[in-house]
Amino acid sequence: MKRPSRARRIAAALALGAVLVAAVFLFLFLILTTARPSGRVVPAHAPDLANGETLFHAGGCIGCHEPPSGAEDAGLPTGGASFPTPMGTFYPGNLTPDPDTGIGRWTAEAFLDAMTEGVSPDGRHYFPAFPYTSYRNMRVEDMLDLRAYLMSLPPVRSSQRDPDIAMVGLARRTMGLWKRLAFRGRGFRIDPERSATWNRGAYLVQGPGHCGECHTPRNALMILDDARRLEGGAHPGGEGQVPSLRDLLGRGRYKDVADLTLAMQFGETFGYDNLSSGGMAEVQMNLARLPEADLRAISEYLLSLH
Amino acid sequence: MRETTLRMLIALALVVAVVSIAGAAATGTTAIEERQEAMEDIGKAIQTLAAIAKKEAPFDAGVVKTSAETIANRLKTAADLFPDGSDKGDVETWAKAEIWTDRENFNKDFQSAHAAAVAMQSVTDEAAFGAALGAIGNGCKTCHDMYRRPKQ
């Protein structure tokens, strides 16, 4: 008579233990993955629309936030076009100031939180297909200028939809854990040993330009490996490898700063054949809209990498 | 007698299978080599035109016309150098699978690039040259961006 009751007691204890452990894990998961606004204080800043436009092109925002093909608003970042990745298909959002489907009602705080924390105004995690991991490196004033530029665009209503990803709700939640790991890197800092031009280039590449999102390899957790910065990575669309940006001189890719600057300005039109495959032509055409001084800065920085 | 016939038939079937597989691979390889040669010719002509645009060479309407003709002639037949089954071969190719799933759009890209090269043939002054070269360049970029994998 004693045996079964003891076994039952052990079983009950084990079951209770398992439930408790599961509850603790769930609790921790919920705590660790809850998206919260940063509560930051936005500094007073008189926006510079021209600088905002430069950053818009430096980031190539239109490349992902473009309208669906054939739409009337070509050239405006209305979102709606699909962005297929091996993880699933994303539908980047509307960056025009439409109050309902765009950023029209977003406060400056909400905009900055989206850019640097990857948190949406309604308190959800963005997937890192939106490269906030790079935009975190941007100066606050630059982000405010970018916001002002976007707010100056004509508002366009656009359809917004969730990405086509398996268990999208859980996946989104899990990004909270991912960010805790991905945000631990050092981030961009000015290197006082280098020239102002070099630092401007490094900033544009590591911040708004988010070049590393494709050109830097990722580790098993899909976190950018800073130690191997710009050594080449997997193509986001699953199309093989994205080339390394290191040792461009030694590999005979470009002759000098002037050469690489011309390449970014004209790409394949001037015979720079390597600048148009797998989406890079679009990047090049956005880069072509930057002031020449910025392209020279990017070139100086990139050609210094060995 | 019947057994011999059967054996012969099997042997024949095997030979046909081997020959057609080898043939298909050869077709792929030949097509890849041919189109890469065509692209190299176009690339050289673009370099000639780019040198003029970069002011490394003087504007010469004759040179412009010859280069534009090379580009146009090569582009005219280039779409045919991507036959079915030439997505791989013994030679490395950067052609993406979308070429064969998205054929209509792929051919259209070639047609518009060809039209831009034809337009360049009648450019006689430096003022129109830049825009005409830009149009050819956009043709190259659009198609390569969609249908070519990055080279290392």
Side-chain angles (χ1 to χ4, degrees):
Chain A
M1 285 307 268
K2 261 187 179 174
R3 264 192 200 157
S5 86
R6 192 175 167 204
R8 213 176 290 155
R9 258 184 285 149
I10 291 172
L14 281 175
L16 185 66
V19 167
L20 277 174
V21 168
V24 167
F25 269 105
L26 183 66
F27 180 71
L28 278 177
F29 181 76
L30 290 177
I31 293 274
L32 289 173
T33 62
T34 297
R36 289 190 185 81
S38 65
R40 77 176 82 219
V41 177
V42 179
H45 175 67
D48 175 346
L49 288 185
N51 184 44
E53 186 175 1
T54 294
L55 291 158
F56 180 78
H57 297 309
C61 309
I62 193 73
C64 290
H65 296 270
E66 64 191 340
S69 60
E72 279 173 36
D73 306 297
L76 285 178
T78 64
S82 62
F83 179 50
T85 76
M87 199 183 163
T89 301
F90 293 91
Y91 301 91
N94 182 359
L95 302 183
T96 75
D98 177 58
D100 299 320
T101 66
I103 63 164
R105 275 202 264 262
W106 291 26
T107 60
E109 291 86 338
F111 184 82
L112 295 178
D113 277 0
M115 292 286 285
T116 65
E117 311 307 311
V119 170
S120 72
D122 61 356
R124 296 192 298 167
H125 296 298
Y126 286 119
F127 288 99
F130 167 42
Y132 45 79
T133 35
S134 292
Y135 299 155
R136 300 175 58 73
N137 289 322
M138 287 177 71
R139 295 167 58 231
V140 168
E141 293 78 10
D142 279 347
M143 290 188 280
L144 292 174
D145 289 346
L146 175 61
R147 172 173 180 263
Y149 171 71
L150 294 173
M151 294 296 268
S152 76
L153 297 173
V156 179
R157 264 193 95 79
S158 147
S159 64
Q160 299 295 298
R161 58 185 280 196
D162 251 7
D164 297 327
I165 288 179
M167 296 190 289
V168 65
L170 180 65
R172 196 184 279 287
R173 192 99 204 173
T174 311
M175 290 306 116
L177 287 179
W178 185 84
K179 282 197 260 179
R180 281 170 190 275
L181 298 169
F183 286 178
R184 287 197 305 190
R186 216 179 84 135
F188 172 74
R189 304 227 184 115
I190 297 273
D191 182 347
E193 308 271 291
R194 303 278 194 164
S195 72
T197 316
W198 185 95
N199 276 299
R200 171 71 178 162
Y203 170 71
L204 287 169
V205 166
Q206 293 175 39
H210 68 281
C211 309
E213 299 285 338
C214 293
H215 286 280
T216 296
R218 292 174 189 271
N219 66 18
L221 290 171
M222 296 294 283
I223 294 169
L224 293 172
D225 183 354
D226 258 356
R228 293 190 291 153
R229 180 177 292 151
L230 302 174
E231 280 184 14
H235 191 280
E239 282 295 340
Q241 285 288 115
V242 174
S244 166
L245 298 182
R246 289 189 167 265
D247 198 24
L248 290 169
L249 287 172
R251 283 154 61 213
R253 288 304 169 89
Y254 301 98
K255 288 195 297 254
D256 49 29
V257 167
D259 191 32
L260 180 50
T261 303
L262 266 183
M264 287 190 279
Q265 281 175 317
F266 297 99
E268 207 165 356
T269 302
F270 274 18
Y272 293 101
D273 178 49
N274 285 314
L275 272 171
S276 46
S277 301
M280 190 60 202
E282 194 177 8
V283 175
Q284 178 267 313
M285 287 188 271
N286 287 324
L287 287 172
R289 303 180 72 163
L290 293 187
E292 191 174 320
D294 280 343
L295 293 177
R296 291 186 66 87
I298 292 174
S299 302
E300 185 178 328
Y301 167 68
L302 288 180
L303 295 183
S304 77
L305 302 173
H306 296 287
Chain B
M1 186 66 183
R2 279 186 69 182
E3 201 174 300
T4 328
T5 319
L6 192 64
R7 269 193 205 146
M8 278 177 66
L9 277 176
I10 291 172
L12 188 67
L14 279 174
V15 168
V16 168
V18 167
V19 166
S20 50
I21 288 168
T27 315
T29 306
T30 314
I32 294 168
E33 280 170 348
E34 277 177 20
R35 69 197 182 214
Q36 287 180 353
E37 203 184 294
M39 292 297 172
E40 249 161 62
D41 266 7
I42 295 171
K44 276 181 208 148
I46 291 277
Q47 295 288 2
T48 307
L49 296 175
I52 297 173
K54 287 192 245 180
K55 312 253 182 241
E56 290 168 3
F59 179 83
D60 178 332
V63 172
V64 170
K65 192 169 192 310
T66 323
S67 306
E69 275 166 4
T70 305
I71 298 170
N73 289 340
R74 283 303 209 170
L75 284 177
K76 198 171 182 181
T77 51
D80 301 333
L81 299 176
F82 294 82
D84 287 347
S86 68
D87 55 331
K88 347 183 176 8
D90 300 332
V91 190
E92 184 169 15
T93 172
W94 292 270
K96 280 172 65 172
E98 280 84 344
I99 292 172
W100 292 276
T101 54
D102 212 4
R103 193 75 213 202
E104 211 174 300
N105 189 50
F106 178 72
N107 289 348
K108 222 180 277 169
D109 278 355
F110 266 118
Q111 283 155 16
S112 42
H114 175 255
V118 169
M120 177 65 104
Q121 291 173 28
S122 47
V123 165
T124 49
D125 63 292
E126 222 166 338
F129 173 73
L133 182 59
I136 298 178
N138 282 346
C140 305
K141 290 177 195 178
T142 313
C143 198
H144 283 155
D145 228 19
M146 280 286 285
Y147 300 110
R148 185 172 69 172
R149 261 192 293 274
K151 293 181 184 180
Q152 287 315 294

